[in-house]
Short mmCIF file of all heavy atoms in Angstrom, two decimals:
data_model
loop_
_atom_site.label_atom_id
_atom_site.label_comp_id
_atom_site.label_asym_id
_atom_site.label_seq_id
_atom_site.Cartn_x
_atom_site.Cartn_y
_atom_site.Cartn_z
N TRP A 24 2.10 -9.92 2.98
CA TRP A 24 1.27 -10.55 1.96
C TRP A 24 0.13 -11.24 2.69
O TRP A 24 0.37 -11.95 3.66
CB TRP A 24 2.12 -11.60 1.26
CG TRP A 24 1.64 -12.07 -0.06
CD1 TRP A 24 0.46 -12.68 -0.33
CD2 TRP A 24 2.34 -11.98 -1.29
NE1 TRP A 24 0.37 -12.99 -1.65
CE2 TRP A 24 1.53 -12.57 -2.27
CE3 TRP A 24 3.56 -11.48 -1.67
CZ2 TRP A 24 1.90 -12.68 -3.60
CZ3 TRP A 24 3.94 -11.59 -2.98
CH2 TRP A 24 3.12 -12.17 -3.94
N SER A 25 -1.10 -11.04 2.25
CA SER A 25 -2.22 -11.69 2.93
C SER A 25 -2.12 -13.20 2.76
O SER A 25 -1.58 -13.69 1.78
CB SER A 25 -3.56 -11.18 2.38
OG SER A 25 -3.72 -11.53 1.02
N ARG A 26 -2.59 -13.94 3.76
CA ARG A 26 -2.48 -15.41 3.74
C ARG A 26 -3.16 -16.03 2.51
O ARG A 26 -2.73 -17.06 2.03
CB ARG A 26 -3.11 -16.01 5.00
CG ARG A 26 -2.50 -15.53 6.27
CD ARG A 26 -1.39 -16.45 6.74
NE ARG A 26 -0.91 -16.02 8.04
CZ ARG A 26 0.11 -15.21 8.23
NH1 ARG A 26 0.73 -14.71 7.20
NH2 ARG A 26 0.50 -14.87 9.43
N ASP A 27 -4.21 -15.39 2.03
CA ASP A 27 -4.92 -15.93 0.86
C ASP A 27 -4.29 -15.49 -0.46
O ASP A 27 -4.76 -15.86 -1.53
CB ASP A 27 -6.40 -15.54 0.89
CG ASP A 27 -6.63 -14.04 0.87
OD1 ASP A 27 -5.68 -13.26 0.65
OD2 ASP A 27 -7.79 -13.63 1.09
N GLY A 28 -3.21 -14.69 -0.41
CA GLY A 28 -2.50 -14.27 -1.60
C GLY A 28 -3.20 -13.20 -2.42
O GLY A 28 -2.79 -12.91 -3.53
N ARG A 29 -4.24 -12.58 -1.86
CA ARG A 29 -5.00 -11.59 -2.62
C ARG A 29 -4.45 -10.17 -2.51
O ARG A 29 -4.73 -9.34 -3.35
CB ARG A 29 -6.46 -11.61 -2.15
CG ARG A 29 -7.17 -12.89 -2.51
CD ARG A 29 -8.58 -12.95 -1.97
NE ARG A 29 -9.28 -11.69 -2.18
CZ ARG A 29 -10.22 -11.24 -1.35
NH1 ARG A 29 -10.57 -11.91 -0.29
NH2 ARG A 29 -10.81 -10.10 -1.61
N PHE A 30 -3.71 -9.85 -1.43
CA PHE A 30 -3.26 -8.48 -1.19
C PHE A 30 -1.79 -8.42 -0.82
O PHE A 30 -1.28 -9.28 -0.11
CB PHE A 30 -4.06 -7.85 -0.04
CG PHE A 30 -5.53 -7.77 -0.30
CD1 PHE A 30 -6.40 -8.67 0.29
CD2 PHE A 30 -6.05 -6.79 -1.13
CE1 PHE A 30 -7.77 -8.60 0.06
CE2 PHE A 30 -7.41 -6.71 -1.37
CZ PHE A 30 -8.27 -7.63 -0.77
N LEU A 31 -1.12 -7.37 -1.28
CA LEU A 31 0.25 -7.06 -0.90
C LEU A 31 0.22 -5.73 -0.18
O LEU A 31 -0.23 -4.72 -0.73
CB LEU A 31 1.12 -6.97 -2.16
CG LEU A 31 2.59 -6.64 -1.95
CD1 LEU A 31 3.29 -7.78 -1.19
CD2 LEU A 31 3.27 -6.42 -3.30
N THR A 32 0.65 -5.71 1.08
CA THR A 32 0.70 -4.47 1.86
C THR A 32 2.07 -3.84 1.66
O THR A 32 3.09 -4.53 1.67
CB THR A 32 0.44 -4.75 3.35
OG1 THR A 32 -0.83 -5.39 3.46
CG2 THR A 32 0.43 -3.48 4.16
N ILE A 33 2.09 -2.52 1.46
CA ILE A 33 3.33 -1.82 1.12
C ILE A 33 3.48 -0.53 1.92
O ILE A 33 2.50 0.08 2.32
CB ILE A 33 3.38 -1.47 -0.39
CG1 ILE A 33 2.19 -0.58 -0.78
CG2 ILE A 33 3.44 -2.72 -1.24
CD1 ILE A 33 2.26 -0.02 -2.18
N PHE A 34 4.77 -0.15 2.15
CA PHE A 34 5.06 1.23 2.54
C PHE A 34 5.00 2.00 1.24
O PHE A 34 5.69 1.65 0.27
CB PHE A 34 6.44 1.37 3.17
CG PHE A 34 6.54 0.86 4.56
CD1 PHE A 34 7.56 0.01 4.93
CD2 PHE A 34 5.62 1.24 5.52
CE1 PHE A 34 7.66 -0.46 6.23
CE2 PHE A 34 5.71 0.78 6.81
CZ PHE A 34 6.74 -0.08 7.17
N ASP A 35 4.23 3.03 1.20
CA ASP A 35 3.99 3.80 -0.01
C ASP A 35 4.52 5.21 0.24
O ASP A 35 3.90 6.00 0.94
CB ASP A 35 2.48 3.80 -0.28
CG ASP A 35 2.11 4.32 -1.64
OD1 ASP A 35 3.00 4.74 -2.40
OD2 ASP A 35 0.90 4.31 -1.94
N ARG A 36 5.69 5.51 -0.32
CA ARG A 36 6.38 6.78 -0.04
C ARG A 36 6.36 7.67 -1.27
O ARG A 36 6.56 7.21 -2.39
CB ARG A 36 7.81 6.49 0.38
CG ARG A 36 8.64 7.75 0.56
CD ARG A 36 10.00 7.42 1.07
NE ARG A 36 9.92 7.46 2.51
CZ ARG A 36 10.87 7.03 3.32
NH1 ARG A 36 11.97 6.52 2.84
NH2 ARG A 36 10.72 7.12 4.61
N GLU A 37 6.15 8.96 -1.03
CA GLU A 37 6.19 9.94 -2.11
C GLU A 37 7.54 9.88 -2.81
O GLU A 37 8.57 9.65 -2.17
CB GLU A 37 6.00 11.35 -1.55
CG GLU A 37 4.66 11.59 -0.91
CD GLU A 37 4.59 12.96 -0.23
OE1 GLU A 37 5.63 13.57 0.06
OE2 GLU A 37 3.47 13.42 0.00
N GLY A 38 7.53 10.08 -4.13
CA GLY A 38 8.76 10.04 -4.91
C GLY A 38 9.65 11.25 -4.68
O GLY A 38 10.85 11.18 -4.84
N GLY A 39 9.08 12.38 -4.30
CA GLY A 39 9.85 13.59 -4.08
C GLY A 39 9.25 14.39 -2.95
O GLY A 39 8.38 13.92 -2.22
N GLY A 40 9.69 15.60 -2.79
CA GLY A 40 9.18 16.46 -1.73
C GLY A 40 9.62 15.97 -0.37
O GLY A 40 10.76 15.58 -0.18
N ASN A 41 8.70 15.96 0.60
CA ASN A 41 9.09 15.54 1.95
C ASN A 41 9.03 14.03 2.15
O ASN A 41 9.30 13.55 3.22
CB ASN A 41 8.26 16.27 3.01
CG ASN A 41 6.78 16.13 2.76
OD1 ASN A 41 6.35 15.27 2.01
ND2 ASN A 41 5.99 16.97 3.40
N ARG A 42 8.64 13.27 1.11
CA ARG A 42 8.69 11.80 1.08
C ARG A 42 7.94 11.15 2.24
O ARG A 42 8.43 10.22 2.86
CB ARG A 42 10.14 11.33 1.00
CG ARG A 42 10.82 11.87 -0.24
CD ARG A 42 12.19 11.35 -0.54
NE ARG A 42 12.49 9.98 -0.30
CZ ARG A 42 12.22 8.97 -1.14
NH1 ARG A 42 11.59 9.21 -2.27
NH2 ARG A 42 12.58 7.75 -0.86
N LEU A 43 6.75 11.63 2.51
CA LEU A 43 5.93 11.06 3.57
C LEU A 43 5.50 9.64 3.22
O LEU A 43 5.36 9.28 2.05
CB LEU A 43 4.70 11.93 3.81
CG LEU A 43 4.99 13.36 4.29
CD1 LEU A 43 3.71 14.18 4.33
CD2 LEU A 43 5.66 13.33 5.65
N ILE A 44 5.28 8.82 4.25
CA ILE A 44 4.92 7.41 4.06
C ILE A 44 3.48 7.17 4.50
O ILE A 44 3.01 7.74 5.47
CB ILE A 44 5.84 6.50 4.90
CG1 ILE A 44 7.28 6.63 4.45
CG2 ILE A 44 5.41 5.04 4.80
CD1 ILE A 44 8.26 5.83 5.29
N GLN A 45 2.82 6.28 3.77
CA GLN A 45 1.52 5.77 4.19
C GLN A 45 1.55 4.26 3.98
O GLN A 45 2.42 3.75 3.27
CB GLN A 45 0.39 6.41 3.39
CG GLN A 45 0.49 6.19 1.90
CD GLN A 45 -0.47 7.07 1.11
OE1 GLN A 45 -1.04 8.01 1.62
NE2 GLN A 45 -0.63 6.74 -0.15
N LEU A 46 0.64 3.54 4.61
CA LEU A 46 0.51 2.10 4.38
C LEU A 46 -0.61 1.89 3.38
O LEU A 46 -1.74 2.34 3.60
CB LEU A 46 0.19 1.36 5.67
CG LEU A 46 1.37 0.96 6.53
CD1 LEU A 46 0.92 0.50 7.90
CD2 LEU A 46 2.20 -0.11 5.86
N SER A 47 -0.28 1.27 2.27
CA SER A 47 -1.26 1.01 1.22
C SER A 47 -1.29 -0.48 0.94
O SER A 47 -0.43 -1.24 1.39
CB SER A 47 -0.89 1.76 -0.06
OG SER A 47 -0.93 3.15 0.14
N THR A 48 -2.28 -0.88 0.18
CA THR A 48 -2.43 -2.28 -0.22
C THR A 48 -2.70 -2.35 -1.71
O THR A 48 -3.45 -1.55 -2.24
CB THR A 48 -3.57 -2.95 0.57
OG1 THR A 48 -3.22 -2.95 1.95
CG2 THR A 48 -3.78 -4.37 0.13
N ILE A 49 -2.07 -3.32 -2.34
CA ILE A 49 -2.27 -3.56 -3.76
C ILE A 49 -3.04 -4.87 -3.92
O ILE A 49 -2.55 -5.92 -3.50
CB ILE A 49 -0.93 -3.65 -4.52
CG1 ILE A 49 -0.13 -2.36 -4.36
CG2 ILE A 49 -1.17 -3.97 -5.99
CD1 ILE A 49 1.28 -2.44 -4.92
N PRO A 50 -4.25 -4.82 -4.50
CA PRO A 50 -4.93 -6.08 -4.82
C PRO A 50 -4.14 -6.78 -5.94
O PRO A 50 -3.71 -6.12 -6.88
CB PRO A 50 -6.30 -5.65 -5.32
CG PRO A 50 -6.42 -4.20 -5.03
CD PRO A 50 -5.04 -3.66 -4.86
N LEU A 51 -3.93 -8.06 -5.82
CA LEU A 51 -3.11 -8.76 -6.81
C LEU A 51 -3.94 -9.37 -7.94
O LEU A 51 -3.44 -10.18 -8.72
CB LEU A 51 -2.25 -9.81 -6.12
CG LEU A 51 -1.24 -9.19 -5.16
CD1 LEU A 51 -0.47 -10.25 -4.41
CD2 LEU A 51 -0.30 -8.25 -5.88
N SER A 52 -5.19 -8.95 -8.02
CA SER A 52 -6.03 -9.32 -9.16
C SER A 52 -6.86 -8.09 -9.53
O SER A 52 -6.88 -7.10 -8.80
CB SER A 52 -6.93 -10.50 -8.81
OG SER A 52 -7.79 -10.16 -7.75
N GLY A 53 -7.53 -8.16 -10.64
CA GLY A 53 -8.34 -7.01 -11.08
C GLY A 53 -7.46 -5.88 -11.57
O GLY A 53 -6.44 -6.10 -12.21
N ASP A 54 -7.82 -4.64 -11.19
CA ASP A 54 -7.09 -3.46 -11.69
C ASP A 54 -5.76 -3.21 -11.01
O ASP A 54 -4.98 -2.38 -11.44
CB ASP A 54 -7.98 -2.22 -11.61
CG ASP A 54 -8.28 -1.80 -10.17
OD1 ASP A 54 -7.75 -2.42 -9.22
OD2 ASP A 54 -9.04 -0.84 -10.01
N ARG A 55 -5.48 -3.88 -9.91
CA ARG A 55 -4.24 -3.73 -9.14
C ARG A 55 -3.98 -2.28 -8.73
O ARG A 55 -2.84 -1.86 -8.61
CB ARG A 55 -3.06 -4.28 -9.93
CG ARG A 55 -3.11 -5.76 -10.11
CD ARG A 55 -1.85 -6.27 -10.71
NE ARG A 55 -1.88 -7.73 -10.74
CZ ARG A 55 -0.88 -8.47 -11.13
NH1 ARG A 55 0.22 -7.90 -11.53
NH2 ARG A 55 -0.98 -9.76 -11.12
N LYS A 56 -5.01 -1.54 -8.53
CA LYS A 56 -4.85 -0.15 -8.11
C LYS A 56 -4.67 -0.09 -6.59
O LYS A 56 -5.54 -0.53 -5.84
CB LYS A 56 -6.09 0.64 -8.53
CG LYS A 56 -5.99 2.11 -8.20
CD LYS A 56 -7.19 2.84 -8.74
CE LYS A 56 -7.31 4.19 -8.17
NZ LYS A 56 -6.80 5.29 -8.58
N PRO A 57 -3.52 0.46 -6.12
CA PRO A 57 -3.28 0.55 -4.68
C PRO A 57 -4.32 1.42 -3.98
O PRO A 57 -4.80 2.39 -4.55
CB PRO A 57 -1.90 1.20 -4.58
CG PRO A 57 -1.28 1.01 -5.92
CD PRO A 57 -2.41 0.99 -6.90
N PHE A 58 -4.66 1.05 -2.76
CA PHE A 58 -5.54 1.88 -1.94
C PHE A 58 -4.91 2.06 -0.57
O PHE A 58 -4.19 1.21 -0.07
CB PHE A 58 -6.95 1.29 -1.85
CG PHE A 58 -7.03 -0.08 -1.25
CD1 PHE A 58 -7.18 -0.25 0.13
CD2 PHE A 58 -6.96 -1.21 -2.05
CE1 PHE A 58 -7.26 -1.52 0.68
CE2 PHE A 58 -7.04 -2.48 -1.51
CZ PHE A 58 -7.19 -2.64 -0.14
N VAL A 59 -5.17 3.23 0.03
CA VAL A 59 -4.57 3.59 1.31
C VAL A 59 -5.34 2.93 2.45
O VAL A 59 -6.58 2.98 2.49
CB VAL A 59 -4.58 5.13 1.50
CG1 VAL A 59 -4.06 5.52 2.86
CG2 VAL A 59 -3.77 5.79 0.39
N VAL A 60 -4.60 2.32 3.39
CA VAL A 60 -5.20 1.75 4.59
C VAL A 60 -4.88 2.63 5.80
O VAL A 60 -5.74 2.92 6.60
CB VAL A 60 -4.72 0.30 4.83
CG1 VAL A 60 -5.37 -0.29 6.07
CG2 VAL A 60 -4.99 -0.57 3.61
N VAL A 61 -3.62 3.06 5.92
CA VAL A 61 -3.20 3.98 6.98
C VAL A 61 -2.62 5.21 6.29
O VAL A 61 -1.57 5.13 5.66
CB VAL A 61 -2.15 3.36 7.92
CG1 VAL A 61 -1.70 4.36 8.97
CG2 VAL A 61 -2.70 2.09 8.57
N PRO A 62 -3.34 6.35 6.37
CA PRO A 62 -2.88 7.54 5.66
C PRO A 62 -1.57 8.08 6.23
O PRO A 62 -1.14 7.71 7.31
CB PRO A 62 -4.01 8.55 5.85
CG PRO A 62 -4.95 7.97 6.82
CD PRO A 62 -4.56 6.55 7.10
N THR A 63 -0.97 8.97 5.45
CA THR A 63 0.27 9.63 5.85
C THR A 63 0.11 10.28 7.22
O THR A 63 -0.89 10.93 7.49
CB THR A 63 0.64 10.70 4.82
OG1 THR A 63 0.78 10.07 3.55
CG2 THR A 63 1.92 11.41 5.18
N VAL A 64 1.10 10.05 8.07
CA VAL A 64 1.12 10.66 9.39
C VAL A 64 2.42 11.43 9.54
O VAL A 64 3.42 11.09 8.91
CB VAL A 64 1.02 9.60 10.52
CG1 VAL A 64 -0.30 8.87 10.47
CG2 VAL A 64 2.16 8.60 10.46
N PRO A 65 2.43 12.47 10.36
CA PRO A 65 3.71 13.14 10.61
C PRO A 65 4.59 12.22 11.46
O PRO A 65 4.11 11.63 12.42
CB PRO A 65 3.30 14.40 11.38
CG PRO A 65 1.97 14.08 11.97
CD PRO A 65 1.33 13.08 11.06
#
């Protein structure tokens, strides 16, 4: 969680398939639409 309380960083894993993980962030205000910070890696 960012120190200012504005962002929540998450492991963002696919619901099915090979279930790859990426690091995403959810803004805790506004539209709360997650965005990718570290894309899926093998």
Side-chain angles (χ1 to χ4, degrees):
W24 198 300
S25 65
R26 301 267 186 267
D27 61 10
R29 292 177 44 211
F30 299 103
L31 180 65
T32 302
I33 59 171
F34 285 131
D35 192 357
R36 175 176 269 169
E37 296 173 341
N41 53 16
R42 301 187 38 84
L43 297 173
I44 298 176
Q45 59 192 14
L46 274 169
S47 296
T48 296
I49 300 172
L51 296 176
S52 61
D54 67 4
R55 293 188 174 185
K56 183 175 166 89
F58 60 89
V59 176
V60 181
V61 178
T63 301
V64 296

